Amino acid sequence: MKKTIMLKRKYEFKILFSKGKIAYGKNLTMYILRNKNSVNKLGIAIGKKSGKAVDRNKIKRLIKENYRLFEMRIKCGYNILISVNKKCEIQNMDFYIIQKELEKLLKKSEIWLEE
């Protein structure tokens, strides 16, 4: 089982926003940057204008769980930032919508391992 480290520092998020490769989706945006480690680092960004704290935390939990399920199919050595788009309605997002979109973004960004 791979171990993914969470991004927590503000400068790590800034580097990903400025230098990362971008993959756009309907509700999610993914920023990817190669790191020098053999582990992936995951960050989740969602703005305060998206909804109340309860809703934002629910979306974060759903994204983390979907990432955990896909973790074995993702190449190692990347910093990944998943950002929730401002215009999407987070109250209407559920587990399966996030799952489909995350899989599509991972394939689009070319870090998905084909079996």
Side-chain angles (χ1 to χ4, degrees):
M1 169 115 185
K2 294 182 185 179
K3 179 69 177 163
T4 300
I5 300 170
M6 294 301 292
L7 292 175
K8 295 179 182 175
R9 307 267 183 217
K10 189 173 182 177
Y11 70 89
E12 294 174 327
F13 281 86
K14 280 186 175 184
I15 290 171
L16 272 172
F17 275 124
S18 63
K19 296 183 181 180
K21 179 182 169 187
I22 303 171
Y24 294 103
K26 185 178 177 184
N27 298 317
L28 301 174
T29 304
M30 185 179 291
Y31 297 84
I32 296 171
L33 187 64
R34 186 103 171 118
N35 64 22
K36 296 175 182 168
N37 302 329
S38 62
V39 295
N40 288 336
K41 293 184 179 182
L42 176 68
I44 300 171
I46 181 167
K48 285 187 178 180
K49 293 184 180 180
S50 297
K52 295 188 177 185
V54 174
D55 298 327
R56 293 193 310 264
N57 290 332
K58 179 182 176 186
I59 296 300
K60 286 181 191 178
R61 286 194 310 270
L62 291 174
I63 290 171
K64 283 180 192 175
E65 179 61 20
N66 277 302
Y67 180 84
R68 186 189 67 80
L69 294 174
F70 290 141
E71 193 171 24
M72 297 305 290
R73 297 181 182 171
I74 298 173
K75 294 179 185 176
C76 292
Y78 289 93
N79 289 349
I80 302 168
L81 174 63
I82 300 170
S83 175
V84 179
N85 296 343
K86 294 176 185 176
K87 294 182 180 179
C88 76
E89 295 182 19
I90 62 174
Q91 292 83 9
N92 297 336
M93 292 177 70
D94 66 347
F95 183 84
Y96 299 105
I97 292 172
I98 294 173
Q99 184 179 25
K100 288 178 187 175
E101 188 147 5
L102 188 60
E103 182 178 356
K104 195 180 293 183
L105 287 173
L106 289 168
K107 288 180 180 177
K108 189 184 225 183
S109 62
E110 300 172 357
I111 61 170
W112 185 264
L113 293 173
E114 296 297 329
E115 293 181 33

